[in-house]
Amino acid sequence: MLFAGLVCAQPSASEEGIPVTDPLVVAKCGSCHGRDERGNMQRISWERTTPEGWQEALKRMILVNGVSLTPEEARAIVKYLSTSHGLAPEEAKPVMYDVERRIHQETSIPNDNIGHACARCHTFARALSWRRSRDDWKQLADMHATRYKLPVSEEAIAYLAKVAPLHTPEWESWSARTREPKLAGRWLVTASIPGRGKYYGELRVDSAGDEFNTDVHLTSLTDGSKIVRFGRGAVYGAYAWRGRSQGAQPMSSAPDDPNNVAREVLWIAPDQSTAEGRWFWGQYQEFGIDVKLRRASSDPTVMMVDPPSLKTGSEASRVRLIGDGLPASVTPADLNAGPGVIVRRIVSGTASEVIAEVDVASDAALGKRDVLLRGSVLPGAMAIYDRVDYIKVTPESAMAAFGDQTHARGFQQFEAVAYQRGADEKPHTADDVELGRLNSNDLTWSMEVFYEAPNSNTAFVGTVSATGFFTPAANSPNNNFDVWVIATSKNDKDKNGRPLVGKAYLVVTVPMYTLNGRRYVRDLDRWIDDGPAQ
């Protein structure tokens, strides 16, 4: 793993290091990482990374090198290094999917050689969440060759030294303008929970020393049900929120219960006006809440539009605008979704919700529309479409796991999303328009196991519910299975009159196995080489 790169070795002075000024870091790390007259410490001064990267590095120093630290000292060291030897927000955002524990298709790996060297055992984001001098990248590759018996890839070293160097304009700019996080107050929240739909509400943040206490109140857009959670978090590097929270209600036995204890990972915008991220839980962190935050203000704010798409030629469709501080009196002229969308009348209005009836012209331009209510604009909030061209099941590929004596089962929630073909008139291309999540009442869910006779019983692998929730069988067959998870539309049909169908590829596997004398354990969406089998 990349955090293992902290070893007692001296990089060359070909690049200027970042001096270490924290007395605690100097005292606890200086016995191995020597410090020169400029304050540079071996290895540490030639590396930058995320809070998770420094935390794992520190764990290794404790376990392997016997560094003695109290929990308070460890937190202080990680906080200092994440700030003074961290990433700029612009550097961190592209690799947030790793620490947010998201299933993510790796599309940025330039070729197979670099993929084999840098993403064989972990996500490519794990490599790109570090910034190192070229000499430090070389030493990391040498360490991998020694510890994991991987050949040194000069191509990978050259690539990483180019795209993830120690010194970058983003880091220089951020270092000069970073400031203490001032997050206390009221934040507006929009959220999405796979299988449950969209939510809206508010988050209150209170300062608690150098950390923050939170409570969030969310309301389901689908059925009005409530979720209340309380938590505590800290901010690293002035933008990286890391916290934990738990529901106000007792947890049920359902593994996807949103009252579960969750880890929180948020990316806070440099101006501290917005934030986004994921709160997640589960044996493999497969359950989660996707959240977006913005500071509440005195101005009217539209947060969400329901439904998110309207069909051309539709009449008197009811549209809900969810918001904060909305005008007390709204007229049709105050609401605008662009040419071809006519507001017939305002049905009702409060400070948090406006309901309008709208008509959509048969020749209205297709695609995403901004929705405006007086001075508030919600970009791309509504899609205008003429037909549903296909449905996509997400995640498109995933992994679930049987349980064993030490691992709970790993589940997977699937959703079906409708799409329109886009301006190029071709489906499955980059300009396709997402129309929104399909309700479970509009779908039939099923599954097919590869290499099984048609219509055979698949209960020995698991089941998929009417809401797209896959549950592995309670008794492990001690084998791996490839499965199609299939969503069939009850209403939308293709040009030949057949129901639209979407499929996702699922591997249902054991949580751990041994091959060629090495042990492999299941991670979120991949296998991890865990070292020699005991």
Side-chain angles (χ1 to χ4, degrees):
M1 306 296 282
L2 285 172
F3 56 75
L6 283 175
V7 295
C8 297
Q10 176 66 54
S12 73
S14 60
E15 293 183 48
E16 185 66 31
I18 301 172
V20 177
T21 60
D22 183 68
L24 181 61
V25 176
V26 172
K28 293 295 182 177
C29 306
S31 60
C32 182
H33 301 272
R35 192 165 182 253
D36 65 20
E37 68 279 359
R38 291 172 293 181
N40 292 322
M41 296 187 74
Q42 293 176 3
R43 298 305 298 273
I44 297 175
S45 288
W46 283 270
E47 298 173 332
R48 297 190 286 113
T49 189
T50 62
E52 287 74 20
W54 285 122
Q55 183 181 51
E56 294 299 333
L58 197 59
K59 284 181 181 178
R60 182 164 187 83
M61 295 302 98
I62 293 170
L63 294 173
V64 176
N65 291 358
V67 175
S68 178
L69 293 171
T70 66
E72 292 74 19
E73 288 173 333
R75 282 194 293 270
I77 289 174
V78 170
K79 197 159 191 177
Y80 167 77
L81 292 173
S82 300
T83 300
S84 299
H85 300 255
L87 300 184
E90 298 85 355
E91 295 172 324
K93 194 169 187 180
V95 295
M96 285 297 294
Y97 69 87
D98 187 43
V99 294
E100 291 175 346
R101 301 294 290 162
R102 295 183 187 275
I103 296 175
H104 178 85
Q105 184 178 1
E106 302 278 16
T107 57
S108 60
I109 301 176
N111 59 52
D112 290 342
N113 292 335
I114 293 175
H116 182 80
C118 302
R120 180 182 180 185
C121 300
H122 49 67
T123 64
F124 196 45
R126 191 73 60 88
L128 296 181
S129 65
W130 286 79
R131 297 294 185 270
R132 302 174 184 267
S133 67
R134 182 183 178 88
D135 291 334
D136 206 78
W137 282 119
K138 177 65 167 63
Q139 290 188 44
L140 180 69
D142 291 341
M143 180 277 296
H144 275 65
T146 300
R147 182 168 295 157
Y148 303 113
K149 310 304 179 185
L150 295 173
V152 173
S153 170
E154 294 296 337
E155 182 181 8
I157 294 171
Y159 176 80
L160 291 170
K162 179 181 179 181
V163 302
L166 178 65
H167 297 287
T168 65
E170 294 83 5
W171 175 248
E172 298 303 324
S173 174
W174 178 244
S175 299
R177 61 189 170 95
T178 184
R179 55 195 174 100
E180 285 296 313
K182 298 185 182 299
L183 307 179
R186 191 169 72 96
W187 295 72
L188 306 180
V189 184
T190 55
S192 177
I193 305 179
R196 296 175 183 264
K198 293 184 178 181
Y199 289 73
Y200 61 92
E202 67 176 42
L203 172 77
R204 291 191 177 273
V205 180
D206 295 316
S207 297
D210 63 346
E211 296 188 349
F212 300 91
N213 292 326
T214 63
D215 66 271
V216 63
H217 296 249
L218 299 175
T219 300
S220 168
L221 194 64
T222 303
D223 60 16
S225 60
K226 308 289 184 179
I227 297 174
V228 179
R229 298 183 62 86
F230 298 95
R232 188 175 180 89
V235 177
Y236 299 83
Y239 71 89
W241 174 281
R242 303 294 186 266
R244 288 186 180 273
S245 63
Q246 182 173 347
Q249 299 298 319
M251 289 181 290
S252 71
S253 59
D256 61 340
D257 184 352
N259 287 297
N260 268 283
V261 176
R263 289 173 55 192
E264 297 184 345
V265 173
L266 294 174
W267 181 90
I268 303 169
D271 65 2
Q272 299 183 13
S273 65
T274 62
E276 59 184 279
R278 184 171 184 253
W279 305 338
F280 51 88
W281 67 91
Q283 172 72 34
Y284 301 98
Q285 293 87 49
E286 68 266 44
F287 302 112
I289 306 175
D290 297 318
V291 297
K292 292 185 177 181
L293 314 177
R294 69 172 78 178
R295 284 190 187 271
S297 72
S298 58
D299 297 326
T301 304
V302 177
M303 300 164 56
M304 192 176 286
V305 175
D306 178 45
S309 58
L310 292 176
K311 192 172 184 179
T312 54
S314 59
E315 296 182 348
S317 298
R318 289 207 169 188
V319 175
R320 298 170 63 201
L321 279 71
I322 306 297
D324 183 70
L326 301 181
S329 178
V330 178
T331 68
D334 295 325
L335 180 59
N336 191 327
V341 180
I342 300 94
V343 180
R344 176 179 290 192
R345 69 185 182 100
I346 302 300
V347 177
S348 62
T350 68
S352 60
E353 178 184 89
V354 171
I355 299 178
E357 278 187 1
V358 302
D359 299 335
V360 182
S362 58
D363 60 350
L366 308 180
K368 290 284 189 178
R369 302 289 189 91
D370 296 347
V371 174
L372 295 79
L373 180 62
R374 297 257 180 104
S376 180
V377 181
L378 192 58
M382 179 182 292
I384 302 301
Y385 70 102
D386 56 353
R387 68 173 183 264
V388 177
D389 288 293
Y390 65 94
I391 59 177
K392 180 189 293 185
V393 176
T394 60
E396 294 184 79
S397 62
M399 192 180 287
F402 304 109
D404 63 16
Q405 292 181 343
T406 58
H407 298 85
R409 283 182 290 177
F411 304 84
Q412 187 60 58
Q413 175 69 60
F414 292 93
E415 291 191 311
V417 181
Y419 281 84
Q420 191 261 352
R421 63 198 175 281
D424 66 0
E425 295 291 327
K426 298 177 181 179
H428 305 286
T429 57
D431 73 340
D432 293 356
V433 180
E434 180 180 334
L435 305 178
R437 166 182 172 267
L438 291 172
N439 191 289
S440 59
N441 295 330
D442 300 325
L443 297 166
T444 299
W445 287 94
S446 59
M447 58 178 279
E448 293 179 2
V449 179
F450 288 22
Y451 316 121
E452 288 290 322
N455 302 317
S456 62
N457 191 328
T458 58
F460 68 96
V461 177
T463 58
V464 61
S465 75
T467 60
F469 186 77
F470 178 80
T471 301
N475 296 319
S476 173
N478 294 318
N479 205 345
N480 296 340
F481 298 91
D482 299 306
V483 176
W484 286 123
V485 175
I486 305 165
T488 303
S489 175
K490 295 179 180 179
N491 304 313
D492 297 302
K493 295 178 171 55
D494 64 17
K495 60 183 179 181
N496 297 314
R498 294 172 299 196
L500 293 180
V501 175
K503 290 185 176 183
Y505 173 65
L506 174 68
V507 176
V508 189
T509 182
V510 294
M512 181 171 57
Y513 70 91
T514 300
L515 180 66
N516 296 329
R518 300 190 71 82
R519 184 175 69 176
Y520 294 84
V521 296
R522 186 226 149 165
D523 195 19
L524 178 64
D525 59 348
R526 66 189 62 227
W527 288 101
I528 299 296
D529 185 339
D530 200 41
Q534 300 297 322

